[in-house]
Amino acid sequence: MMNFFYTYQSLFDHILVNALLAMSQYVVLRAGVFSLGSAGFAALGAYCTAILITAQAWPPVAAIAAGTVLGTTASALLALPLARLRGVFQAVATLAFVQIVLSATQNWESLTHGALGINGIPHVAGTATLLGVVVVVVLLLVTMGRFGLGRAMDVIREDEMVAVSLGISVPYIQRFAFILSGALAGMAGGLHATSSYAITPNDYGFGLLVAALAMVVLGGRTSVWGALVGAVVLISLPELFRVFADYRNVVQGILLMTVIIYLPRGVADTLISMLRDRRLRHEVVPEKP
Amino acid sequence: MRPTLELENVSRHFGGVPAVDGLSLSVPAGQITGLIGPNGAGKTTVVNLITGLLHLTSGRVLLDGNDVSRAEAPELARAGVARTFQNIRLLPDASVLDNVLSGFHRHERVGLWANLLGLPSARIETAHLKEEAMQLVERFGMTNLAKHRAGGLSYGHQRRIEVMRALAMKPRLILLDEPVAGMNDAEAESLSSIFRSVAAEGVALLLIEHNMRFVMSLCSHLYVVAAGRLIAQGDPQKVSSDPIVVQAYLGS
């Protein structure tokens, strides 16, 4: 058992970091914001953490906290212009943000060492730390979904016209979701930097943006479990089928298309609603005439 | 006493075409007022104007005497204006109970952080609202369906959920946009007794319909619109025998 664990430890760490990123994507989608910004906030968090540790000799915990704060601040600033946009325009605006961050990491060589990236980051975020953080974030997001805030987010996502007719302040709730998403992505970035020895701009490019979105679509958009399931499936499948390594992107694409066509609500959401329907059938009471 | 809602000479044009043209009406508290007219008369536009989803081209809307002509939809909802939608707009994948719960939004007082951290204040509030929502569900005879997916229920049930969600707002004014469309007579009758009891609690109801028979039995005052204009008003008996109304409905 322990041997199995050590063999796959790095894969497990990778899944946990990506689960955080998926949850950052999940939060915005749940509130009906079509943001692709998570990859950009993760890059900010990762570079901030890595630079503070390697160049400024900050204690790692403080550096990760600073990375999280930077992700939060950036999302809070970006939320202002974003509130005026809707749907696909939000996607384009956040995509532009990711591009800006990316070209900064590639070209601001004095700070980021350009394409070489930053090496020699101490490996301080172990499996236990990552697992702890993921558990706390899952608990937080599950809790959020159970009360008024979660209900308001659901209404906004499903039907904005109903939301305003119920007195829900759409910009306020969406801004909150977006900032929370930035905080989670910033933290995911900081933890990624401190669990992988080195980071390069390529780690946070278009690939990560697509992965964050794919994990949530694969798992399901309405519950936190969707993001978790998506991270586990999307990150572990290519590792388990190493023989197809050359076709990694093809396999991923086929997997996504299959899920979108046959399980449009995602793996976890479909399972959850199936279980709920079954439970209801068991306790069904004949309706009064 | 001032009526809860007053429209003064309200017009709304779409690119020069008047959808609503110089309409004045008032909806007093404790009564059911009817707004009827043939298809395309501008009835739903009137609802969208009152709820702030559309803005007036000219005229004034007064809510309890306050000018709300420029107010946005969320402000009006928070001021106690509730509505149902002609084309049902529920959260299809959410349960009946969750749909009703969403209507309580304007009464929620717990802040974002308490929600995020699940503080006792948020727990108590949601438990309390769930109780109230269950009472509403019971009043509409849907207790055994409370946990079911709203999207999987019949048309009549979905219409009732819309009304429950509006009542959950504990509004001072409810705009009912064809609430019994697609319902059978028994279902419509049970809903109209609920509307009467809501009116008896002092709420102002504006019922938008084109089903004359249903409106006749329920409303104390009727307004008839055709092509965006008011063509008749008065008590149901008088209106239904008005030759102009008959002509608008049946054509000449």
Side-chain angles (χ1 to χ4, degrees), chain A:
Chain A
M1 182 64 207
M2 284 319 276
N3 271 335
F4 172 84
F5 178 74
Y6 285 126
T7 315
Y8 287 104
Q9 188 175 16
S10 75
L11 173 66
F12 197 56
D13 290 0
H14 201 46
I15 288 175
L16 289 171
V17 170
N18 276 278
L20 276 179
L21 192 75
M23 285 190 278
S24 149
Q25 182 73 63
Y26 153 81
V27 170
V28 275
L29 289 183
R30 168 146 192 184
V33 185
F34 194 3
S35 160
L36 304 175
S38 294
F41 299 127
L44 285 178
Y47 269 90
C48 175
T49 305
I51 292 166
L52 285 177
I53 293 176
T54 55
Q56 305 291 324
W58 277 40
V61 176
I64 294 169
T68 312
V69 170
L70 184 63
T72 316
T73 316
S75 59
L77 290 175
L78 194 57
L80 299 174
L82 208 64
R84 299 163 151 269
L85 304 176
R86 285 280 165 276
V88 72
F89 298 100
Q90 291 174 330
V92 174
T94 46
L95 181 65
F97 164 75
V98 175
Q99 294 292 353
I100 292 169
V101 173
L102 217 61
S103 48
T105 58
Q106 278 161 349
N107 298 311
W108 193 349
E109 296 206 1
S110 58
L111 192 68
T112 65
H113 306 292
L116 293 174
I118 297 176
N119 298 305
I121 309 164
H123 188 281
V124 286
T127 309
T129 313
L130 293 174
L131 192 62
V133 171
V134 168
V135 168
V136 168
V137 173
V138 167
L139 285 178
L140 209 63
L141 295 184
V142 168
T143 310
M144 180 192 82
R146 287 176 48 209
F147 305 111
L149 177 60
R151 290 194 290 273
M153 285 182 171
D154 290 340
V155 180
I156 294 172
R157 183 190 65 239
E158 294 288 330
D159 195 330
E160 220 169 283
M161 197 173 179
V162 171
V164 294
S165 301
L166 295 175
I168 296 172
S169 171
V170 177
Y172 179 64
I173 304 238
Q174 289 195 331
R175 194 162 62 228
F176 180 78
F178 192 69
I179 295 173
L180 188 59
S181 160
L184 290 178
M187 188 166 66
L191 290 171
H192 178 241
T194 48
S195 67
S196 54
Y197 301 104
I199 55 173
T200 67
N202 273 340
D203 294 345
Y204 305 100
F206 195 68
L208 191 71
L209 183 154
V210 173
L213 206 56
M215 286 186 279
V216 179
V217 171
L218 201 76
R221 280 163 301 161
T222 50
S223 76
V224 191
W225 311 115
L228 278 183
V229 170
V232 172
V233 173
L234 202 72
I235 305 301
S236 60
L237 267 194
E239 298 295 324
L240 299 178
F241 295 100
R242 280 206 167 236
V243 269
F244 300 123
D246 291 345
Y247 303 100
R248 188 184 170 130
N249 287 331
V250 179
V251 172
Q252 226 172 66
I254 291 173
L255 187 70
L256 258 183
M257 273 163 63
T258 315
V259 168
I260 289 170
I261 293 169
Y262 293 104
L263 299 170
R265 288 195 285 163
V267 178
D269 281 4
T270 310
L271 267 176
I272 288 170
S273 74
M274 263 168 59
L275 288 175
R276 188 176 66 175
D277 287 354
R278 237 178 72 178
R279 205 176 54 228
L280 282 174
R281 266 202 300 279
H282 281 292
E283 60 182 50
V284 82
V285 193
E287 198 180 345
K288 273 175 277 179

Side-chain angles (χ1 to χ4, degrees), chain B residues 107-169:
Chain B
H107 299 288
E108 284 167 4
R109 292 288 170 268
V110 175
L112 289 181
W113 290 108
N115 269 285
L116 193 60
L117 302 174
L119 297 185
S121 56
R123 289 170 193 276
I124 291 167
E125 184 182 68
T126 287
H128 176 70
L129 293 179
K130 268 191 182 153
E131 246 169 61
E132 275 191 64
M134 275 314 289
Q135 284 166 11
L136 261 177
V137 172
E138 197 182 331
R139 183 173 173 188
F140 281 72
M142 286 174 63
T143 309
N144 51 352
L145 297 174
K147 287 179 187 163
H148 282 253
R149 237 184 108 241
L153 299 177
S154 74
Y155 208 62
H157 281 130
Q158 294 196 21
R159 286 236 174 262
R160 276 189 259 176
I161 303 171
E162 280 247 341
V163 177
M164 282 189 261
R165 183 173 65 188
L167 287 180
M169 291 173 74

